[in-house]
Amino acid sequence: MEMTKNGTFPATFSWSFTKERAEDFYYSTLSIDKIRYVHFYRKDRFPDGLGPLNFGMLRHQGLSVVAVKNYWYDKPLTKAGVNVHFVVTEEQAWSMLFHKRADIYIESLQVGEIQKREFLGDDADNIAHTGPFREIPMFILFSKAHPDGRKLLKLWEAYAALN
C-alpha cells in the first residue's frame, strides 16, 4: 500500500474504504469482492452450531471472545462490554480457541480457513464457523501519485461496466 501511495506502483488490492485512504488513492465505484467476518468456535462446545452474533448478543450470552489487539473489532468489543481476551498474534488466538480458553474467535472467513489449518493441523476439523455477521466491500486502490493511476482507474471501471 505504501509503495502505491508514494507512486512506485499504480494500484494495489484489496482494501476496504476509509476516508483517510481516499485522500491518497482513487477508489473505483465498483468493489471487487467482499470480506466476510465470521465467528469460529469449537464444535464440541456448540454441537448444534451457532448463528451469526452481533457484539450485544455475545455479551448477553456470556460468550468469551479471543481477539487480536489493534484489529478493527478491538474498540467495538470493549465498548459493547463483551468478555474479551486480547492476544498479540493470530496463532495465539487459535491456540486459545482450541484449548477452550475462549468460546469465539472473530476472523474473516477466507483468512480463518487458511489459518486454522496452518496453526491447528488435523485438529482444525474440530473448529466450525458461523455465517457472516459483517461484510465489507473491498476495492482496488489506484495511486494518485503514479502517472498511470487515474488512467488505470478509468480502464478498470470501463472493463467492469462491460461485465
Side-chain angles (χ1 to χ4, degrees):
M1 180 191 283
E2 285 301 313
M3 294 179 84
T4 303
K5 180 179 175 179
N6 70 27
T8 304
F9 296 118
T12 180
F13 73 94
S14 60
W15 302 94
S16 61
F17 177 84
T18 68
K19 291 178 185 177
E20 296 79 19
R21 288 186 194 135
E23 294 174 11
D24 298 308
F25 300 96
Y26 299 116
Y27 274 88
S28 171
T29 56
L30 305 165
S31 67
I32 58 172
D33 200 359
K34 290 182 180 178
I35 190 166
R36 292 162 181 85
Y37 285 96
V38 299
H39 299 102
F40 286 90
Y41 61 90
R42 288 188 57 102
K43 292 177 185 177
D44 60 350
R45 170 75 169 91
F46 303 99
D48 295 330
L50 284 174
L53 304 163
N54 64 37
F55 293 164
M57 295 164 79
L58 291 171
R59 180 184 43 77
H60 178 73
Q61 293 184 24
L63 299 175
S64 63
V65 175
V66 59
V68 178
K69 190 72 175 153
N70 296 320
Y71 274 22
W72 69 267
Y73 47 63
D74 186 334
K75 290 179 184 170
L77 282 170
T78 303
K79 185 177 179 181
V82 174
N83 177 14
V84 60
H85 307 281
F86 290 106
V87 295
V88 178
T89 68
E90 291 89 352
E91 186 172 9
Q92 291 170 323
W94 286 105
S95 178
M96 283 190 69
L97 181 65
F98 179 73
H99 289 100
K100 301 181 181 181
R101 290 181 289 185
D103 297 317
I104 301 289
Y105 175 47
I106 298 169
E107 184 55 87
S108 73
L109 178 59
Q110 299 86 342
V111 170
E113 286 296 321
I114 293 167
Q115 286 181 349
K116 79 175 183 175
R117 292 273 167 221
E118 177 183 346
F119 297 134
L120 302 178
D122 291 339
D123 291 325
D125 293 335
N126 297 316
I127 306 295
H129 63 81
T130 65
F133 73 94
R134 184 177 191 214
E135 295 184 346
I136 302 170
M138 302 300 285
F139 300 89
I140 300 173
L141 300 182
F142 296 91
S143 176
K144 288 184 178 180
H146 191 281
D148 294 329
R150 187 159 184 76
K151 179 173 76 173
L152 289 173
L153 167 68
K154 290 181 179 192
L155 286 170
W156 166 250
E157 289 190 334
Y159 169 78
L162 294 174
N163 294 309

